[in-house]
């Protein structure tokens, strides 16, 4: 069996998880990390947070072309606007899984945005330390974002002794952390860093060196950064690079507003009127809140019996598809789509039974 | 007593002025307008930085190179001059607002020509004590310059709004007609003029016609194995830059990299830094590379595709041999190569179709912004700005002729002129009888004054093939732990 280009392989793995449930487009939003209520619910329901924001740079036109190719080659199909993985696709995945070492952590949902800032701070800190200790003051900083430079100023060791000490501590800390990763992943991290007389390598250069596609290089690198971020508390420099970063923006901005109204005791219709939004939008917000907050008063919306009924069907029918579930629970006429979505969101992935 | 020298040493760390710098600076301090054509790397920026610090008020520096202004601000800050800022589209709204509110506190403010047009900046300018207005890359203001940016044409309005501060126009390369045009467009009054010779006697000029691409590649590979390093190869497409970088890497075993506008900012910075650090032997680039880069030891510049006019060519080969040592420029071309610059020239302007679409849109408002053109008609940014400017110009003519005819006529004139410049360049390439240097200098109204040896392929041979190549041995083979050790000095 022929290996697929890395991003297509990742897409295919995700397709298997979403089989017959979602459109091809929905997968695009997950892989590029779109922050919409729908996508956020998807990654939780299907337990695929580790695919979120894997390829934020994937262009939509490319994606369309590449997935069309995959349909033509019969890895996937699409029916009623839902993705279907073929037998060929499944066995392709099987082969891939057999000899692929998945990195210890990759979680674009938790770390996606903050990892980028964390990395910029870390790389700039190391570069400046390396150059300054070599007595070189004229160099091109790898990042020029004003916010990152301000962070650096605040955290910059003032004295030469402080710099030397930081360097030797950071050396041990980074070495120990990176040793816990595959050699190739540690190599990627160190070769993206610039220092005195050693400049970081571009993705093309690394791809040539490691004979690995650029997509995979970037994925492995990012996963290593996620690892460093997850273990930042083991290094005094890294923990400062991670400070103040919201590890996860739990709710979208607009949902936060709705939540404030909700906490003040307003009902859904009131909120819709006050915010001049459609009811369906407010419903989306409530579903998002239900998926995030364990203290969400779900009982106010769906009785316990009904919750149990919905979860029962979700489990036995092995689906999260609303239409199917709606039909299954249809004898209970008062149960609308909103009740079903709310319940599924609230219980999230804990009992989705398809790990 | 000479007060300038202690000032120079204190703020810039130099003990002497370079050729011409002193006269230019003195003229600016006296409040005269100045036109200066200075070779890159000859201390152009000092000509406005020095007077900016010397005089009362705030100096406004117009520069199209965003990265260059960031660098200069950083350098000034490193030198202890903290009251410097760069105002451009990279900034976030609060950052912009901060600079605008504190404009008076800065000694030097760099600004891009686009940002200069923004009403919020222009309105603050009226209340500001502007010590001088410097226009870098001033050839962009001229239709007869090798790059023309309509944003530049509005600088003179801004100058009037700021109360006509003294103006200094700087460029590295402008032919005679462009120079005259720059001074007119900026309304310089009896300016002090300084022009360096464009000649670079330490650069040997070689031109070779090849039968086809295959022969060009063979020659390229051969030259890269014999010429001293590091060097640059100019091509006109991103794809070719990548292709040749791979070719030279595989065939010659050299450290190479491509550089072009299609790469991410971060990667571009890395490649630039690698090249400056001598970690790359040969860089294969489009003309996106080079602006504001000052690397002294480039030994050769090879044009695998030739540039569209003599000025661009001059600027590009001028990146070689800044350290004064023997260097070389080589153009390789075949008869099919003429297609590329022609296509590029065509692409500089909106298409006939686009012009018609904009002209005949009944819903087009009277005042159009380039953003509007960009979004409504899907135009490219340069095209949108071009059109926006000429729609405005057309409105001033009270619409005597239809908009599309007006714009098409402008485009036709511009295109014809550009093709003339291209033909001039091609004529220079094809002739094999007259000295290349002599004919090159004629374009800039200069004469070859001294005998240069080695001079060019017409005059005689060069001796660079015998020199040591200085291949990069680099620290590329380091393991990640060794690399970490080195970087953190352990």
């Amino acid at each position: 069996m022929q290996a697929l280009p890395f991003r297509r392989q990742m897409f295919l793995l995700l397709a298997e998880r979403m089989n017959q449930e979602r459109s091809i487009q929905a997968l695009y939003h997950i892989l590029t990390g779109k922050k919409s209520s729908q996508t956020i619910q998807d990654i939780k329901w299907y337990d695929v947070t580790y695919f979120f924001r894997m390829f934020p740079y994937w262009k939509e036109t490319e994606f369309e072309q590449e997935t069309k190719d995959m349909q033509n080659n019969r890895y996937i199909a699409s029916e009623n606007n839902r993705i279907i993985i073929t037998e060929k696709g499944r066995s392709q995945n099987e082969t891939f899984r057999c000899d692929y070492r998945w990195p210890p952590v990759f979680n674009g949902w938790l770390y996606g945005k903050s990892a980028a800032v964390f990395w910029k701070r870390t790389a700039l800190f190391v570069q400046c330390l390396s150059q300054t200790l070599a007595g070189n003051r004229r160099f091109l900083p790898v990042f020029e974002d004003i916010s990152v430079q301000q962070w650096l100023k605040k955290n910059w060791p003032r004295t030469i002794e402080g710099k030397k000490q930081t360097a030797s501590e950071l050396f041990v800390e980074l070495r120990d952390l990176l040793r816990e990763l595959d050699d190739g992943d540690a190599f990627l991290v160190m070769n993206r860093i610039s220092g005195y007389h050693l400049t970081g390598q571009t993705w093309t250069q690394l791809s040539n060196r490691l004979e690995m596609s650029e997509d995979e290089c970037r994925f492995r690198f990012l996963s290593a950064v996620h690892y460093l971020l997850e273990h930042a508390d083991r290094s005094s420099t890294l923990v400062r690079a991670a400070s103040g970063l919201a590890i996860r923006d739990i709710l979208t901005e607009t949902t936060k507003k709705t939540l404030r109204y909700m906490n003040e005791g307003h009902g859904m219709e009131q909120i819709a009127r006050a915010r001049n939004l459609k009811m369906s939008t407010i419903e989306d917000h409530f579903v998002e809140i239900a998926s995030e907050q364990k203290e969400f008063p779900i009982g106010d919306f769906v009785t316990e019996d009904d919750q149990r009924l919905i979860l029962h069907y979700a489990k036995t029918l092995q689906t999260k598809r609303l239409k199917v579930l709606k039909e299954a629970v249809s004898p209970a006429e008062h149960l609308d789509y909103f009740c079903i979505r709310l319940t599924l969101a609230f219980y999230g992935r804990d009992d989705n039974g398809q790990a | 007593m000479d007060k300038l020298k202690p000032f120079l040493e204190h703020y810039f760390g130099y003990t002497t002025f370079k050729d011409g710098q002193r006269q230019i600076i003195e003229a600016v301090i006296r409040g005269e307008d100045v036109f200066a054509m200075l070779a890159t790397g000859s201390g152009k920026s000092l000509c406005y930085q020095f007077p900016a610090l010397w005089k009362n008020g705030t100096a406004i520096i117009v520069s199209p190179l965003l990265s260059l202004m960031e660098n200069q601000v950083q350098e000034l800050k490193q030198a202890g001059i903290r009251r410097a800022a760069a105002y451009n589209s990279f900034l976030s709204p609060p950052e912009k607002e901060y600079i605008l509110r504190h404009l008076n506190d800065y000694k030097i403010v760099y600004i891009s020509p686009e940002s200069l047009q923004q009403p919020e900046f222009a309105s603050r300018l009226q209340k500001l004590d502007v010590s001088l207005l410097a226009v870098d890359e001033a050839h962009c203001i001229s239709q007869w310059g090798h790059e023309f940016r309509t944003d530049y044409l509005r600088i003179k309005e801004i100058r009037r709004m700021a109360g006509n501060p003294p103006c200094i126009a700087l460029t590295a390369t402008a032919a005679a007609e462009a120079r005259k045009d720059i001074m007119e467009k900026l309304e310089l009054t009896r300016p002090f003029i300084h022009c360096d010779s464009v000649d670079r006697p330490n650069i040997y000029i070689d031109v070779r016609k090849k039968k086809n691409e295959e022969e060009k590649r063979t020659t390229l590979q051969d030259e890269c194995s014999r010429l001293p390093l590091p060097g640059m190869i100019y091509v006109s497409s991103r794809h070719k830059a990548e292709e040749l970088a791979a070719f030279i890497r595989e065939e010659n075993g050299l450290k190479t990299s491509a550089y072009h506008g299609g790469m991410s900012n971060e990667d571009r910075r890395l490649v630039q830094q690698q090249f400056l650090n001598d970690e790359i032997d040969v860089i294969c680039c489009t003309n996106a590379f080079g602006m504001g880069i000052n690397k002294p030891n480039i030994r050769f510049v090879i044009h695998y595709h030739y540039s569209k006019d003599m000025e661009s060519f001059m600027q590009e080969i001028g990146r070689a041999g800044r350290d004064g040592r023997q260097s070389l420029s080589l153009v390789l071309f075949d008869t099919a190569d003429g297609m590329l610059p022609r296509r590029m020239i065509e692409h500089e302007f909106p298409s006939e179709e686009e012009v018609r679409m904009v002209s005949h849109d009944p819903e087009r408002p009277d005042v159009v912004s380039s953003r509007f053109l960009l979004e409504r008609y899907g135009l490219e940014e340069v095209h949108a700005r071009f059109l926006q400017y000429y729609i405005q110009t057309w409105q001033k003519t009270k619409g005597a002729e239809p908009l599309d005819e007006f714009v098409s006529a402008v485009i036709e004139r511009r295109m014809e002129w550009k093709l003339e410049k291209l033909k001039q360049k091609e004529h220079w390439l094809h002739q094999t009888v007259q000295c290349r240097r002599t004919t090159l200098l004629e374009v800039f109204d200069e004469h070859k004054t001294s005998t240069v040896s080695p001079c060019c392929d017409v005059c005689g041979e060069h001796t660079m093939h015998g020199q040591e190549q200085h291949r990069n041995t680099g620290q590329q083979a380091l393991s990640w732990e060794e690399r970490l050790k080195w970087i953190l000095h352990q």
Side-chain angles (χ1 to χ4, degrees):
Chain A
M1 190 162 304
Q2 210 184 347
L4 281 174
F6 190 72
R7 56 166 83 169
R8 297 191 191 190
Q9 179 60 63
M10 292 297 114
F11 170 84
L12 197 59
L13 290 174
L14 181 58
E16 197 168 343
R17 303 297 303 263
M18 313 289 277
N19 190 25
Q20 302 196 17
E21 301 265 325
R22 284 284 178 265
S23 66
I24 293 181
Q25 197 58 25
L27 273 69
Y28 176 74
H29 295 318
I30 292 173
L31 290 167
T32 52
K34 183 178 179 185
K35 244 193 120 219
S36 70
S37 295
Q38 188 55 57
T39 303
I40 291 167
Q41 283 164 43
D42 280 351
I43 58 169
K44 287 182 195 153
W45 289 7
Y46 299 101
D47 193 15
V48 290
T49 48
Y50 56 94
F51 282 98
F52 190 74
R53 239 179 119 78
M54 194 180 263
F55 307 114
Y57 51 86
W58 201 345
K59 291 204 185 86
E60 196 156 3
T61 46
E62 290 170 8
F63 177 85
E64 275 163 18
Q65 188 53 54
E66 292 184 61
T67 50
K68 202 177 284 168
D69 279 358
M70 291 178 75
Q71 289 189 52
N72 293 340
N73 290 313
R74 305 200 192 291
Y75 290 105
I76 52 163
S78 178
E79 216 178 87
N80 299 325
N81 199 26
R82 266 188 286 275
I83 188 163
I84 291 169
I85 184 159
T86 61
E87 268 320 303
K88 182 179 174 190
R90 279 182 199 277
S91 69
Q92 177 78 33
N93 278 347
E94 204 42 55
T95 317
F96 176 80
R97 270 193 294 261
C98 272
D99 56 22
Y100 194 72
R101 267 174 67 90
W102 200 267
V105 51
F106 179 88
N107 196 329
W109 166 239
L110 275 180
Y111 303 128
K113 286 240 168 88
S114 38
V117 181
F118 171 73
W119 173 251
K120 284 184 176 184
R121 290 174 175 180
T122 307
L124 187 65
F125 189 90
V126 171
Q127 183 198 23
C128 293
L129 201 57
S130 179
Q131 296 281 8
T132 318
L133 286 176
N136 184 21
R137 294 198 61 190
R138 290 178 65 89
F139 59 92
L140 200 66
V142 274
F143 296 107
E144 284 194 335
D145 315 43
I146 293 189
S147 60
V148 174
Q149 298 200 338
Q150 276 166 348
W151 171 86
L152 183 73
K153 260 185 215 151
K154 265 193 221 123
N155 292 283
W156 189 239
R158 300 278 158 232
T159 62
I160 183 72
E161 285 73 33
K163 288 179 186 109
K164 280 186 182 154
Q165 200 192 332
T166 309
S168 61
E169 280 169 14
L170 188 56
F171 168 70
V172 174
E173 293 159 354
L174 273 177
R175 184 196 60 194
D176 291 352
L177 279 166
L178 291 174
R179 274 183 182 169
E180 291 161 18
L181 297 171
D182 282 1
D183 245 22
D185 297 351
F187 182 87
L188 283 166
V189 170
M190 282 320 301
N191 279 276
R192 280 301 277 183
I193 286 193
S194 295
Y196 180 64
H197 275 317
L198 278 183
T199 308
Q201 306 285 299
T202 66
W203 293 121
T204 315
Q205 289 167 334
L206 287 170
S207 166
N208 284 327
R209 282 283 292 285
L210 297 176
E211 294 179 353
M212 189 194 266
S213 74
E214 285 189 38
D215 284 327
E216 190 176 353
C217 286
R218 293 172 80 151
F219 166 71
R220 299 297 309 196
F221 164 79
L222 218 50
S223 71
V225 174
H226 289 182
Y227 187 82
L228 294 178
L229 184 54
E230 193 161 278
H231 298 276
D233 55 351
R234 286 165 53 191
S235 153
S236 56
T237 302
L238 294 187
V239 83
R240 269 180 271 142
S243 75
L245 297 179
I247 289 305
R248 165 168 55 158
D249 254 353
I250 293 174
L251 299 173
T252 51
E253 282 309 313
T254 170
T255 302
K256 279 185 203 157
K257 268 190 203 154
T258 297
L259 177 62
R260 275 200 293 279
Y261 280 101
M262 190 185 106
N263 288 338
E264 287 165 10
H266 297 285
M268 292 178 68
E269 270 138 40
Q270 273 179 305
I271 300 174
R273 236 175 297 127
R275 297 202 55 198
N276 200 14
L277 290 172
K278 277 191 262 171
M279 258 313 265
S280 59
T281 310
I282 302 298
E283 286 182 359
D284 284 345
H285 295 172
F286 271 62
V287 170
E288 201 184 322
I289 296 165
S291 77
E292 278 304 333
Q293 304 204 329
K294 285 295 154 201
E295 57 273 24
F296 181 81
I298 180 129
D300 293 359
F301 300 89
V302 194
T303 65
E304 268 191 39
D305 281 349
D306 288 339
Q307 292 173 30
R308 236 173 272 132
L309 187 71
I310 294 166
L311 291 174
H312 166 76
Y313 281 115
K315 202 161 190 170
T316 48
L317 297 174
Q318 286 284 303
T319 187
K320 302 277 186 188
R321 268 168 61 196
L322 296 175
K323 202 169 166 212
V324 178
L325 289 174
K326 177 82 165 78
E327 272 162 26
V329 302
S330 62
E333 272 177 20
H334 59 282
L335 281 180
D336 55 12
Y337 282 121
F338 177 58
C339 294
I340 298 171
R341 288 174 64 202
L342 211 53
T343 307
L344 291 175
F346 185 73
Y347 291 97
R349 62 186 185 195
D350 298 339
D351 37 354
N352 71 7
Q354 43 169 285
Chain B
M1 198 189 100
D2 185 2
K3 288 191 201 145
L4 298 189
K5 271 198 175 167
F7 195 86
L8 178 73
E9 193 166 354
H10 178 248
Y11 282 106
F12 299 96
Y14 302 121
T15 47
T16 53
F17 288 103
K18 289 188 188 169
D19 281 353
Q21 269 180 344
R22 187 184 188 100
Q23 290 85 327
I24 294 170
I25 289 168
E26 281 174 348
V28 179
I29 289 176
R30 284 196 302 270
E32 289 174 33
D33 287 344
V34 171
F35 175 87
M37 189 169 95
L38 295 164
T40 325
S42 64
K44 237 189 340 164
S45 48
L46 193 82
C47 294
Y48 52 79
Q49 286 175 347
F50 188 107
L53 296 180
W54 181 274
K55 296 177 81 152
N56 288 326
T58 306
I60 305 289
I61 320 295
V62 184
S63 165
L65 307 173
L66 298 190
S67 58
L68 187 70
M69 40 171 125
E70 300 279 351
N71 280 358
Q72 293 207 352
V73 168
Q74 210 133 43
E75 278 181 27
L76 287 168
K77 285 186 175 169
Q78 274 176 13
I81 301 156
R82 307 227 152 255
R83 290 186 294 159
Y87 187 91
N88 55 45
S89 52
F90 284 169
L91 299 178
S92 66
E95 287 166 346
K96 280 186 173 176
E97 184 52 35
Y98 180 88
I99 293 178
L100 282 183
R101 253 189 292 120
H102 296 86
L103 221 46
N104 279 315
D105 299 337
Y106 293 107
K107 291 302 287 178
I108 301 188
V109 176
Y110 287 84
I111 186 163
S112 61
E114 299 85 29
S115 300
L116 193 61
Q117 319 301 337
Q118 286 165 7
E120 60 268 28
F121 189 86
S123 66
R124 307 264 174 155
L125 209 55
Q126 284 169 306
K127 293 176 218 129
L128 190 69
D129 174 20
V130 180
S131 60
L132 72 107
L133 177 71
V135 182
D136 206 355
E137 311 293 332
H139 54 264
C140 295
I141 201 174
S142 171
Q143 302 204 35
W144 319 123
H146 54 290
E147 284 169 280
F148 171 50
R149 296 178 51 159
T150 48
D151 293 311
Y152 263 72
L153 288 172
R154 299 205 178 95
I155 295 176
K156 64 177 176 203
E157 292 161 29
I158 298 291
R159 186 181 176 202
R160 283 189 215 130
M161 283 171 78
N164 276 316
C167 180
I168 169 168
L170 299 128
T171 177
T173 27
E177 59 178 341
R179 283 179 229 164
K180 197 165 147 260
D181 198 31
I182 293 168
M183 292 186 241
E184 274 172 25
K185 290 270 161 52
L186 284 171
E187 298 174 343
L188 303 187
T189 40
R190 288 190 301 278
F192 174 84
I193 298 172
H194 176 96
C195 289
D196 276 352
S197 166
V198 296
D199 191 21
R200 300 287 306 277
N202 63 322
I203 300 177
Y204 178 86
I205 304 168
D206 195 357
V207 177
R208 278 184 248 166
K209 187 175 174 178
K210 295 285 153 191
K211 274 207 206 77
N212 50 37
E213 165 108 32
E214 191 51 42
E215 273 194 14
K216 275 168 69 181
R217 279 170 84 98
T218 313
T219 310
L220 182 72
Q221 197 231 317
D222 179 53
E223 289 296 332
C224 285
S225 68
R226 296 166 71 195
L227 286 170
L229 301 163
M232 304 176 69
I233 300 171
Y234 272 105
V235 294
S236 57
S237 78
R238 295 167 180 187
H239 176 75
K240 194 53 94 179
E242 297 280 359
E243 186 193 312
L244 290 185
F247 173 69
I248 301 295
R249 177 170 56 242
E250 280 154 24
E251 295 296 316
N252 294 48
L254 293 174
K255 300 277 185 313
T256 67
S257 181
Y259 183 104
H260 52 74
M263 291 159 58
S264 72
N265 273 339
E266 195 185 347
D267 278 359
R268 284 217 300 261
R269 293 175 83 85
L270 290 175
V271 171
Q272 187 181 324
Q273 192 64 35
Q274 290 170 6
F275 192 54
L276 290 175
N277 268 352
D278 292 329
E279 292 169 71
I280 291 177
D281 297 315
V282 176
I283 195 162
C284 301
C285 58
T286 62
N287 59 9
F289 187 82
M291 292 225 268
I293 285 169
N294 197 3
K295 181 175 169 64
N297 65 339
I298 297 171
R299 292 279 73 87
F300 67 81
V301 171
I302 296 178
H303 280 87
Y304 192 81
H305 293 141
Y306 55 83
S307 43
K308 59 190 176 21
D309 53 53
M310 295 297 250
E311 284 102 320
S312 315
F313 177 68
M314 204 58 223
Q315 208 161 39
E316 284 159 8
I317 69 168
R319 306 223 151 89
R322 297 249 170 104
D323 56 7
R325 293 175 49 196
Q326 185 61 54
S327 305
L328 169 140
S329 151
L330 168 63
V331 185
L332 294 173
F333 73 102
D334 65 43
T335 44
D337 282 347
M339 290 296 294
L340 290 161
R342 280 177 175 76
R343 214 183 303 146
M344 272 161 66
I345 288 172
E346 222 166 87
H347 198 76
E348 284 175 32
F349 304 97
S351 70
E352 249 176 77
E353 172 92 25
E354 286 166 331
V355 173
R356 220 178 304 127
M357 186 167 62
V358 176
S359 308
H360 295 296
D361 182 358
E363 282 162 43
R364 176 171 48 81
D366 281 345
V367 180
V368 293
S369 63
S370 52
R371 172 163 295 265
F372 173 85
L373 294 168
L374 214 93
E375 282 165 6
R376 183 170 172 93
Y377 310 104
L379 297 184
E380 280 182 40
E381 209 185 327
V382 265
H383 297 171
R385 274 189 273 148
F386 177 90
L387 262 183
Q388 190 236 352
Y389 178 78
Y390 282 107
I391 290 175
Q392 249 182 28
T393 317
W394 171 74
Q395 281 165 337
K396 282 180 200 154
T397 68
K398 302 277 188 292
E401 56 184 323
L403 176 58
D404 52 348
E405 282 176 28
F406 177 82
V407 174
S408 298
V410 171
I411 293 177
E412 201 176 315
R413 270 203 311 277
R414 295 279 302 141
M415 217 144 26
E416 224 166 82
W417 178 74
K418 292 218 156 193
L419 286 174
E420 273 314 304
K421 300 289 281 183
L422 176 60
K423 282 183 199 149
Q424 180 185 37
K425 170 81 202 256
E426 285 172 338
H427 178 77
W428 181 82
L429 287 173
H430 283 273
Q431 70 87 19
T432 50
V433 192
Q434 279 180 289
C435 165
R436 303 259 179 218
R437 193 175 303 275
T438 305
T439 44
L440 184 57
L441 289 174
E442 274 168 8
V443 176
F444 295 89
D445 271 358
E446 282 187 41
H447 305 287
K448 192 165 107 174
T449 44
S450 55
T451 43
V452 176
S453 175
C455 178
C456 66
D457 60 294
V458 179
C459 295
E461 284 181 10
H462 68 83
T463 54
M464 286 177 72
H465 283 152
Q467 295 174 20
E468 201 190 327
Q469 259 209 313
H470 296 293
R471 280 171 175 248
N472 185 309
T473 46
Q475 317 214 20
Q476 306 265 344
L478 294 179
S479 74
W480 71 260
E481 283 206 41
E482 288 164 337
R483 201 173 158 100
L484 178 63
K485 231 178 184 160
W486 166 272
I487 285 179
L488 287 174
H489 304 276
Q490 298 300 306

